Amino acid sequence: MTDSTAPTAALRRADLSEERLGRRYAAEKRFRAYGLMAIFAALAILGLLIGTIVLNGYTAFVQTHIAVPVYLDPQVIDPQDTNDPQIMGRADYQGLLRTSLRDRFPDVSGRRDRLKLYGILSNGAGLDVRDAVLSDPSIIGTTQTLWVKSSDDIDSLVKGYIDRTLPESDRRVKDNEIVWIEALEADGAIETQFNTTFFTAGDSREPEQAGIWGAVVGSFYTLLITLVLTFPIGVLSAVYLEEFAPKNKWTDLIEVNINNLAAVPSIIFGLLGLAVFLSIFGLPRSAPLVGGMVLALMTLPTIIIAARAALKAVPPSIREAALGVGASRLQVVTHHVLPLALPGIMTGTIIGMAQALGETAPLLMIGMVAFIVDIPGGVTDPATVLPVQIFLWADAPERAFVEKTNGAIMVLLGFLILMNALAVLLRKRFERQW
Amino acid sequence: MNSFLLIAILLVLASVGYQFGQRRARSVSGGHPSTLHSRPQYYGFYVALWCGIPSVLLMALWLILEPHVAEWMLISNLPEDIQSLPEDRLSLLLNDVKNLASGNIVSREVDASLQAAADGYASVRQIGNAAMTVVAIAIAVLGLAFARKRISPELRARNLVERTVSVLMIIASTIAILTTIGIVMSLLFEAMRFFARVPWYEFLFGLEWSPQTALRADQVGASGAFGAIPLFAGTLLITFIAMCVAVPIGLFSAIYMSEYAPQRMRAIVKPMLEILAGVPTVVYGFFAALTVAPFIRRTGESLGMTVSSESALAAGVVMGIMIIPFVSSLSDDVMNAVPRALRDGAFALGATKSETIKQVIFPAALPGIVGSLLLAMSRAIGETMIVVMAAGLAANLTADPLEAVTTVTVQIVTLLVGDQEFDSAKTLAAFALGLVLFAVTLTLNVIALNVVRRYREKYD
Amino acid sequence: MEAVAEAAAPSPALRNSPKMTSRKTDVYYGESQALRDVDLDIGENQVTSLIGPSGCGKSTFLRCLNRMNDVIDGCRVEGEITLDGIDVYRSGLDVVQLRARVGMVFQKPNPFPKSIYDNIAYGPRLHGIAESKSELDDIVELSLSRAGLWEEVKDRLTSPGTGLSGGQQQRLCIARAIAVNPEVILMDEPCSALDPIATAKIEELIDELRQNFTIVIVTHSMQQAARVSQKTAFFHLGNLVEVGDTEQLFTNPRDERTQGYITGRFG
């Protein structure tokens, strides 16, 4: 290792001593461990998130029902014997239920205790009875054992969300109520059944009568508007920018603008909707029409970017081949490029729609946050959407709304997973290697 | 539903027009379609476009103008003394009339003149709608007939159709620009009105935020304080906490995924991290408010600290979780863009993997990583639902993460949700906040996108 | 150049002590086999060149020698490759140690996006070669001088290495490899991205480095192999067809395929 040109120090060989290498490898191991820890942390958080939601939410899909033997008194239901469903529909079924509860627990006396006793049933329990009567009027005059909804507190108690061992003053459900419930449980008169209301009803102040259907329909109308607006506009502008636009300052500006728009906070789009669609155009507040328009502006950049990527992936040789046989540029695009790029565009659109489905903030700005009981019948009816419904329920004080919120989240996540799975499937199915 | 029906009718008319056009073209060619300038389909499209576009334009115009015309007619029908009311009182009254007309609850006694006005308003709108439907259909039919008549073998249908389509494309591509202009104009316009009431320096540098103004303008002591510094500070605090969570976890998982993880692990873990990115923010907000915040409070109390139930920490941590996938996927991309040759160079010198990453790949990727962190930060600043649900409304000027703070986005939501007069300083303040938010996130994005683009060009 | 080639005739003594050996080496990429049954000795302090048409496996073989193939997914090496008699693929052998002893220079110059000084100092810092700052300075200067770059860059050691010209960058990479003072230097077509003048400089450099290092070079150019190496191995379709003294191989090849390649009938 001698070299005449060496300045001073002779070159030493690398220090490959055990000690030094050991230190380096320890550092390597540590570094690797940090990486693993980070991934596990992220996955653990995901697990925790999904876990708490599912654990707290799956009970929203069932509802406690109480079997009540109820005498369907013709005097109450249809005193004039008209057989008119209108009249039968207006009868005091809740009162019938109360009577039979009183009969079941004869030793309950005093106004307050009686009210408490009646309170184990839902305010909407009478509707269950009414539905039974209307579907089969011949049962009037008989005594039927009907399963009716319990109140939300009793529902929570039966599902085990209320700790029966706590001192009475710390619970929402009092001792005497527990005694009644336990008596009913001993009779086999309490059961949790599939909660149809949750999937078919609109919002309600009473947790046991609240459902997500109104919000699902609202989301549907909103997304319909979004899709109808963004898909054609997005595809047209992507085709223009990718296939036709000259490269100049103006198209550069559009391009930069689209990229920046994709990163603008969603709430800003809500402000735009409020200032332009509501104030200037005077469109109705709380309507899916406006919500869909706002979300369309928000998702447009996503769809344009995805569509451009899909168009770019079609090799130029195909365009040249079509131009070579005398097709016009538009024909090249509509006959060859677009069909080949369509799966990619669809994938991008679905992902954009999924994004729009989960969006909340801009819709708050345009008033889609109202308490709406009715199922919306069109795009101009006041409506709310699933994420906003979650937001509203998350704020509600009743314990029972916690499980409803979690349940609604599960439904929302279900839709999102479905959409994303569809997008992945599309990509896999039509993926093409050029 | 009316407009749905109308659109359906127009669609049917357009497709009828398409058929007519095609058939007409075939017949004028005398059974020799090759004598036509274009193929028969193009004549079909030609007729369909003439049928559809004018009536759709009319509908759009109507949608924009109708409420204003109806309102103007409503006002001119009202008694003189009401017409001369001050503007804000008048608009309240108009609101009631409109609510009455659509069968909603109104805020005052309904008297005969109000009822009459409401009825008049409802009938004007009804007649107007009916007239519009008739006119739209008539225009569609006229367009159809006109276009069909113009068909001749010499008509350059393909060129006309293609020109129309390209005009449509150009219009579509300007919508993105119009959106930006719309955002800037509406924010600027409303913010200017706000700054006419509250000076901008008071807004930007004021230390106190309490926007609760009196309900009616004639009440005394009506104006609140609009100093936005506590909001900016709260936003920055929460963003800072979020970055503290997201940067280490996101970066390290990106490094592990791109450099260490075997193929199979990557195939499983990557989609799972993407799930984290796809979870709607309202779900994160709920998670923050119901799981994380109570947990932090209990932990804090067991350590003898006082933690407010809506702490900046809870909101910040959950926001950090939300942006983990952004940080990790963006920096994963950036590190993958570092050429393989550099890795090989370091390995060939006998560097271990971590030494290669720390000393060669990371420094080379740094500009790109900084860019993606800026993007993640702008995401955190603009995020709304998590802070609305978990951060609270108290405009405290504090750096203590265990206290409650509020953010720009929270205030925008609280100021604008619920009933409000559109012109009050309170509502306008939301737009001023929106303007600041837009400006800040836009600046961050422009810088970040530029940094990332320049970084990519270097290695392409 | 010709004088160089003559002076470089290997002495029998050197040929007796191979620095590295390969016995029955097979390499697979996934299912496909890239190298078949390669037996080759690499003599100490001489330049061995590996030649052959594209895709013949010469680069693959080169990368086996310091296990750079490890980073390629699905690459599998069978057989035995030794350095000073020790199997480099033995389990438990440390690739870091191996690569500190067997350095590599790549086809495309790949300086780190750091200063010229830091590029050279990276290896010594990694392996703890220098004990003081001044010693590190010495190593940097020495390595750069040996790579014939010192005079050109001594005034701008802090400017980025990526700012140099292609030929300078490649010499920087050679200097970077030398700074660790390895025993063997592998060169994977080091001149293919360079112009003729830069190529000539690198070839000169290789010849000087031979005094202190064992060099294995993959090259596309038969002229280059003839100019710089003492021993040449010809690869074809994953087989080592022929190996011998460079002069003998080029003037009097034993195998028909070698003959065909060097006379330009394929390749």
Side-chain angles (χ1 to χ4, degrees), chain A residues 42-75:
Chain A
L43 293 185
I45 290 165
L46 179 66
L48 185 70
L49 180 68
I50 305 283
T52 49
I53 287 166
V54 172
L55 276 181
N56 290 315
Y58 75 97
T59 48
F61 302 142
V62 292
Q63 161 72 35
T64 303
H65 283 68
I66 300 177
V68 184
V70 48
Y71 172 59
L72 300 165
D73 189 350
Q75 281 308 307

mmCIF file of all heavy atoms in Angstrom, chain A residues 42-75:
data_model
loop_
_atom_site.group_PDB
_atom_site.id
_atom_site.type_symbol
_atom_site.label_atom_id
_atom_site.label_comp_id
_atom_site.label_asym_id
_atom_site.label_seq_id
_atom_site.Cartn_x
_atom_site.Cartn_y
_atom_site.Cartn_z
ATOM 1 N N ALA A 42 -49.741 3.073 13.026
ATOM 2 C CA ALA A 42 -50.801 3.457 12.083
ATOM 3 C C ALA A 42 -51.878 2.380 12.019
ATOM 4 O O ALA A 42 -53.075 2.676 12.066
ATOM 5 C CB ALA A 42 -50.208 3.705 10.697
ATOM 6 N N LEU A 43 -51.434 1.122 11.957
ATOM 7 C CA LEU A 43 -52.422 0.042 11.859
ATOM 8 C C LEU A 43 -53.214 -0.093 13.157
ATOM 9 O O LEU A 43 -54.419 -0.356 13.132
ATOM 10 C CB LEU A 43 -51.733 -1.276 11.528
ATOM 11 C CG LEU A 43 -51.108 -1.343 10.136
ATOM 12 C CD1 LEU A 43 -50.566 -2.726 9.852
ATOM 13 C CD2 LEU A 43 -52.121 -0.954 9.075
ATOM 14 N N ALA A 44 -52.531 0.103 14.287
ATOM 15 C CA ALA A 44 -53.232 -0.002 15.569
ATOM 16 C C ALA A 44 -54.305 1.071 15.663
ATOM 17 O O ALA A 44 -55.420 0.822 16.126
ATOM 18 C CB ALA A 44 -52.239 0.128 16.721
ATOM 19 N N ILE A 45 -53.950 2.278 15.206
ATOM 20 C CA ILE A 45 -54.932 3.362 15.240
ATOM 21 C C ILE A 45 -56.128 3.009 14.369
ATOM 22 O O ILE A 45 -57.286 3.175 14.769
ATOM 23 C CB ILE A 45 -54.287 4.673 14.765
ATOM 24 C CG1 ILE A 45 -53.288 5.162 15.805
ATOM 25 C CG2 ILE A 45 -55.344 5.722 14.528
ATOM 26 C CD1 ILE A 45 -52.362 6.223 15.291
ATOM 27 N N LEU A 46 -55.822 2.478 13.174
ATOM 28 C CA LEU A 46 -56.913 2.081 12.281
ATOM 29 C C LEU A 46 -57.795 1.043 12.963
ATOM 30 O O LEU A 46 -59.027 1.134 12.954
ATOM 31 C CB LEU A 46 -56.330 1.520 10.984
ATOM 32 C CG LEU A 46 -57.350 1.035 9.958
ATOM 33 C CD1 LEU A 46 -58.159 2.194 9.429
ATOM 34 C CD2 LEU A 46 -56.669 0.299 8.814
ATOM 35 N N GLY A 47 -57.119 0.057 13.603
ATOM 36 C CA GLY A 47 -57.873 -0.984 14.298
ATOM 37 C C GLY A 47 -58.727 -0.400 15.408
ATOM 38 O O GLY A 47 -59.901 -0.754 15.566
ATOM 39 N N LEU A 48 -58.119 0.516 16.159
ATOM 40 C CA LEU A 48 -58.850 1.140 17.264
ATOM 41 C C LEU A 48 -60.068 1.897 16.749
ATOM 42 O O LEU A 48 -61.177 1.800 17.291
ATOM 43 C CB LEU A 48 -57.908 2.094 17.995
ATOM 44 C CG LEU A 48 -58.454 2.751 19.245
ATOM 45 C CD1 LEU A 48 -58.606 1.709 20.346
ATOM 46 C CD2 LEU A 48 -57.546 3.872 19.709
ATOM 47 N N LEU A 49 -59.840 2.645 15.671
ATOM 48 C CA LEU A 49 -60.917 3.444 15.087
ATOM 49 C C LEU A 49 -62.081 2.549 14.658
ATOM 50 O O LEU A 49 -63.223 2.743 15.076
ATOM 51 C CB LEU A 49 -60.358 4.217 13.895
ATOM 52 C CG LEU A 49 -61.293 5.119 13.113
ATOM 53 C CD1 LEU A 49 -61.699 6.287 13.968
ATOM 54 C CD2 LEU A 49 -60.626 5.633 11.854
ATOM 55 N N ILE A 50 -61.744 1.553 13.821
ATOM 56 C CA ILE A 50 -62.800 0.665 13.320
ATOM 57 C C ILE A 50 -63.398 -0.128 14.486
ATOM 58 O O ILE A 50 -64.617 -0.303 14.586
ATOM 59 C CB ILE A 50 -62.220 -0.306 12.259
ATOM 60 C CG1 ILE A 50 -61.526 0.468 11.150
ATOM 61 C CG2 ILE A 50 -63.309 -1.218 11.721
ATOM 62 C CD1 ILE A 50 -62.417 1.103 10.155
ATOM 63 N N GLY A 51 -62.502 -0.587 15.372
ATOM 64 C CA GLY A 51 -62.959 -1.402 16.497
ATOM 65 C C GLY A 51 -63.964 -0.679 17.361
ATOM 66 O O GLY A 51 -65.047 -1.203 17.645
ATOM 67 N N THR A 52 -63.652 0.560 17.780
ATOM 68 C CA THR A 52 -64.590 1.261 18.655
ATOM 69 C C THR A 52 -65.904 1.516 17.927
ATOM 70 O O THR A 52 -66.967 1.433 18.532
ATOM 71 C CB THR A 52 -64.026 2.617 19.135
ATOM 72 O OG1 THR A 52 -63.551 3.316 18.007
ATOM 73 C CG2 THR A 52 -62.909 2.440 20.126
ATOM 74 N N ILE A 53 -65.792 1.804 16.637
ATOM 75 C CA ILE A 53 -67.031 2.088 15.906
ATOM 76 C C ILE A 53 -67.910 0.841 15.827
ATOM 77 O O ILE A 53 -69.107 0.881 16.125
ATOM 78 C CB ILE A 53 -66.718 2.635 14.507
ATOM 79 C CG1 ILE A 53 -66.208 4.069 14.629
ATOM 80 C CG2 ILE A 53 -67.947 2.597 13.615
ATOM 81 C CD1 ILE A 53 -65.565 4.593 13.395
ATOM 82 N N VAL A 54 -67.291 -0.275 15.474
ATOM 83 C CA VAL A 54 -68.086 -1.489 15.326
ATOM 84 C C VAL A 54 -68.622 -1.949 16.684
ATOM 85 O O VAL A 54 -69.795 -2.284 16.827
ATOM 86 C CB VAL A 54 -67.254 -2.593 14.653
ATOM 87 C CG1 VAL A 54 -67.999 -3.913 14.670
ATOM 88 C CG2 VAL A 54 -66.921 -2.198 13.231
ATOM 89 N N LEU A 55 -67.753 -1.918 17.699
ATOM 90 C CA LEU A 55 -68.183 -2.379 19.018
ATOM 91 C C LEU A 55 -69.329 -1.541 19.552
ATOM 92 O O LEU A 55 -70.261 -2.043 20.173
ATOM 93 C CB LEU A 55 -67.016 -2.328 20.004
ATOM 94 C CG LEU A 55 -66.107 -3.547 19.954
ATOM 95 C CD1 LEU A 55 -65.003 -3.410 20.980
ATOM 96 C CD2 LEU A 55 -66.914 -4.805 20.239
ATOM 97 N N ASN A 56 -69.253 -0.235 19.328
ATOM 98 C CA ASN A 56 -70.309 0.636 19.846
ATOM 99 C C ASN A 56 -71.478 0.745 18.893
ATOM 100 O O ASN A 56 -72.499 1.330 19.231
ATOM 101 C CB ASN A 56 -69.758 2.042 20.106
ATOM 102 C CG ASN A 56 -68.819 2.069 21.271
ATOM 103 O OD1 ASN A 56 -69.108 1.482 22.302
ATOM 104 N ND2 ASN A 56 -67.677 2.702 21.108
ATOM 105 N N GLY A 57 -71.290 0.249 17.675
ATOM 106 C CA GLY A 57 -72.302 0.540 16.673
ATOM 107 C C GLY A 57 -73.152 -0.631 16.240
ATOM 108 O O GLY A 57 -74.258 -0.434 15.755
ATOM 109 N N TYR A 58 -72.641 -1.856 16.414
ATOM 110 C CA TYR A 58 -73.409 -2.952 15.821
ATOM 111 C C TYR A 58 -74.768 -3.106 16.488
ATOM 112 O O TYR A 58 -75.719 -3.579 15.878
ATOM 113 C CB TYR A 58 -72.614 -4.266 15.870
ATOM 114 C CG TYR A 58 -72.534 -4.921 17.212
ATOM 115 C CD1 TYR A 58 -73.424 -5.949 17.551
ATOM 116 C CD2 TYR A 58 -71.600 -4.537 18.161
ATOM 117 C CE1 TYR A 58 -73.363 -6.554 18.788
ATOM 118 C CE2 TYR A 58 -71.536 -5.130 19.387
ATOM 119 C CZ TYR A 58 -72.412 -6.145 19.708
ATOM 120 O OH TYR A 58 -72.363 -6.732 20.934
ATOM 121 N N THR A 59 -74.870 -2.646 17.739
ATOM 122 C CA THR A 59 -76.159 -2.758 18.428
ATOM 123 C C THR A 59 -77.209 -1.811 17.858
ATOM 124 O O THR A 59 -78.378 -1.936 18.172
ATOM 125 C CB THR A 59 -76.004 -2.483 19.923
ATOM 126 O OG1 THR A 59 -75.250 -1.281 20.064
ATOM 127 C CG2 THR A 59 -75.310 -3.619 20.627
ATOM 128 N N ALA A 60 -76.778 -0.861 17.029
ATOM 129 C CA ALA A 60 -77.769 0.040 16.433
ATOM 130 C C ALA A 60 -78.661 -0.706 15.455
ATOM 131 O O ALA A 60 -79.747 -0.245 15.121
ATOM 132 C CB ALA A 60 -77.067 1.188 15.708
ATOM 133 N N PHE A 61 -78.183 -1.855 15.000
ATOM 134 C CA PHE A 61 -78.956 -2.595 14.009
ATOM 135 C C PHE A 61 -80.035 -3.461 14.650
ATOM 136 O O PHE A 61 -80.827 -4.076 13.967
ATOM 137 C CB PHE A 61 -78.031 -3.454 13.141
ATOM 138 C CG PHE A 61 -76.982 -2.635 12.434
ATOM 139 C CD1 PHE A 61 -75.697 -3.106 12.269
ATOM 140 C CD2 PHE A 61 -77.291 -1.380 11.945
ATOM 141 C CE1 PHE A 61 -74.738 -2.347 11.626
ATOM 142 C CE2 PHE A 61 -76.335 -0.608 11.300
ATOM 143 C CZ PHE A 61 -75.058 -1.096 11.142
ATOM 144 N N VAL A 62 -80.017 -3.521 15.979
ATOM 145 C CA VAL A 62 -81.122 -4.210 16.656
ATOM 146 C C VAL A 62 -81.781 -3.233 17.620
ATOM 147 O O VAL A 62 -81.208 -2.216 17.989
ATOM 148 C CB VAL A 62 -80.646 -5.467 17.431
ATOM 149 C CG1 VAL A 62 -80.188 -6.541 16.476
ATOM 150 C CG2 VAL A 62 -79.570 -5.108 18.419
ATOM 151 N N GLN A 63 -82.983 -3.563 18.019
ATOM 152 C CA GLN A 63 -83.740 -2.670 18.896
ATOM 153 C C GLN A 63 -84.509 -3.538 19.888
ATOM 154 O O GLN A 63 -85.045 -4.586 19.515
ATOM 155 C CB GLN A 63 -84.696 -1.830 18.029
ATOM 156 C CG GLN A 63 -85.849 -1.190 18.762
ATOM 157 C CD GLN A 63 -85.386 -0.040 19.641
ATOM 158 O OE1 GLN A 63 -84.460 0.677 19.290
ATOM 159 N NE2 GLN A 63 -86.028 0.112 20.792
ATOM 160 N N THR A 64 -84.520 -3.089 21.133
ATOM 161 C CA THR A 64 -85.246 -3.841 22.143
ATOM 162 C C THR A 64 -86.749 -3.713 21.909
ATOM 163 O O THR A 64 -87.253 -2.614 21.710
ATOM 164 C CB THR A 64 -84.914 -3.299 23.537
ATOM 165 O OG1 THR A 64 -83.501 -3.372 23.693
ATOM 166 C CG2 THR A 64 -85.600 -4.110 24.614
ATOM 167 N N HIS A 65 -87.414 -4.824 21.879
ATOM 168 C CA HIS A 65 -88.872 -4.820 21.756
ATOM 169 C C HIS A 65 -89.451 -5.471 23.004
ATOM 170 O O HIS A 65 -88.848 -6.353 23.595
ATOM 171 C CB HIS A 65 -89.319 -5.591 20.517
ATOM 172 C CG HIS A 65 -89.124 -4.814 19.246
ATOM 173 N ND1 HIS A 65 -87.892 -4.512 18.745
ATOM 174 C CD2 HIS A 65 -90.025 -4.282 18.370
ATOM 175 C CE1 HIS A 65 -88.029 -3.820 17.627
ATOM 176 N NE2 HIS A 65 -89.324 -3.663 17.375
ATOM 177 N N ILE A 66 -90.639 -5.023 23.376
ATOM 178 C CA ILE A 66 -91.328 -5.588 24.535
ATOM 179 C C ILE A 66 -92.639 -6.191 24.042
ATOM 180 O O ILE A 66 -93.366 -5.562 23.271
ATOM 181 C CB ILE A 66 -91.601 -4.507 25.595
ATOM 182 C CG1 ILE A 66 -90.262 -3.916 26.062
ATOM 183 C CG2 ILE A 66 -92.383 -5.074 26.774
ATOM 184 C CD1 ILE A 66 -90.394 -2.796 27.044
ATOM 185 N N ALA A 67 -92.898 -7.414 24.487
ATOM 186 C CA ALA A 67 -94.161 -8.054 24.110
ATOM 187 C C ALA A 67 -95.242 -7.579 25.061
ATOM 188 O O ALA A 67 -95.111 -7.715 26.272
ATOM 189 C CB ALA A 67 -94.017 -9.563 24.177
ATOM 190 N N VAL A 68 -96.248 -6.948 24.488
ATOM 191 C CA VAL A 68 -97.336 -6.430 25.320
ATOM 192 C C VAL A 68 -98.645 -7.066 24.853
ATOM 193 O O VAL A 68 -99.017 -6.929 23.690
ATOM 194 C CB VAL A 68 -97.426 -4.898 25.205
ATOM 195 C CG1 VAL A 68 -98.495 -4.359 26.152
ATOM 196 C CG2 VAL A 68 -96.089 -4.256 25.505
ATOM 197 N N PRO A 69 -99.341 -7.758 25.767
ATOM 198 C CA PRO A 69 -100.652 -8.269 25.380
ATOM 199 C C PRO A 69 -101.626 -7.102 25.410
ATOM 200 O O PRO A 69 -101.833 -6.491 26.465
ATOM 201 C CB PRO A 69 -100.969 -9.292 26.474
ATOM 202 C CG PRO A 69 -100.021 -9.016 27.592
ATOM 203 C CD PRO A 69 -98.984 -8.044 27.148
ATOM 204 N N VAL A 70 -102.155 -6.736 24.278
ATOM 205 C CA VAL A 70 -102.983 -5.537 24.251
ATOM 206 C C VAL A 70 -104.376 -5.877 23.731
ATOM 207 O O VAL A 70 -104.546 -6.555 22.713
ATOM 208 C CB VAL A 70 -102.299 -4.414 23.432
ATOM 209 C CG1 VAL A 70 -101.802 -4.929 22.118
ATOM 210 C CG2 VAL A 70 -103.224 -3.239 23.214
ATOM 211 N N TYR A 71 -105.349 -5.411 24.500
ATOM 212 C CA TYR A 71 -106.742 -5.613 24.094
ATOM 213 C C TYR A 71 -107.099 -4.513 23.117
ATOM 214 O O TYR A 71 -107.083 -3.322 23.452
ATOM 215 C CB TYR A 71 -107.673 -5.574 25.306
ATOM 216 C CG TYR A 71 -109.136 -5.597 24.893
ATOM 217 C CD1 TYR A 71 -109.630 -6.669 24.131
ATOM 218 C CD2 TYR A 71 -110.002 -4.557 25.250
ATOM 219 C CE1 TYR A 71 -110.957 -6.690 23.739
ATOM 220 C CE2 TYR A 71 -111.331 -4.574 24.870
ATOM 221 C CZ TYR A 71 -111.801 -5.636 24.103
ATOM 222 O OH TYR A 71 -113.107 -5.646 23.705
ATOM 223 N N LEU A 72 -107.368 -4.880 21.858
ATOM 224 C CA LEU A 72 -107.621 -3.897 20.815
ATOM 225 C C LEU A 72 -109.090 -3.494 20.897
ATOM 226 O O LEU A 72 -109.934 -3.988 20.162
ATOM 227 C CB LEU A 72 -107.257 -4.481 19.452
ATOM 228 C CG LEU A 72 -105.782 -4.880 19.354
ATOM 229 C CD1 LEU A 72 -105.527 -5.760 18.160
ATOM 230 C CD2 LEU A 72 -104.897 -3.643 19.318
ATOM 231 N N ASP A 73 -109.332 -2.569 21.805
ATOM 232 C CA ASP A 73 -110.688 -2.171 22.165
ATOM 233 C C ASP A 73 -111.385 -1.478 20.990
ATOM 234 O O ASP A 73 -110.968 -0.399 20.563
ATOM 235 C CB ASP A 73 -110.611 -1.215 23.359
ATOM 236 C CG ASP A 73 -111.977 -0.928 23.931
ATOM 237 O OD1 ASP A 73 -112.977 -1.325 23.281
ATOM 238 O OD2 ASP A 73 -112.022 -0.316 25.011
ATOM 239 N N PRO A 74 -112.466 -2.072 20.469
ATOM 240 C CA PRO A 74 -113.158 -1.416 19.347
ATOM 241 C C PRO A 74 -113.664 -0.040 19.736
ATOM 242 O O PRO A 74 -113.760 0.860 18.891
ATOM 243 C CB PRO A 74 -114.325 -2.352 19.040
ATOM 244 C CG PRO A 74 -114.122 -3.582 19.841
ATOM 245 C CD PRO A 74 -113.135 -3.302 20.905
ATOM 246 N N GLN A 75 -114.011 0.135 21.005
ATOM 247 C CA GLN A 75 -114.499 1.433 21.470
ATOM 248 C C GLN A 75 -113.461 2.521 21.249
ATOM 249 O O GLN A 75 -113.786 3.675 21.013
ATOM 250 C CB GLN A 75 -114.845 1.355 22.968
ATOM 251 C CG GLN A 75 -116.177 0.697 23.261
ATOM 252 C CD GLN A 75 -117.298 1.330 22.457
ATOM 253 O OE1 GLN A 75 -117.489 2.548 22.468
ATOM 254 N NE2 GLN A 75 -118.054 0.486 21.731
#
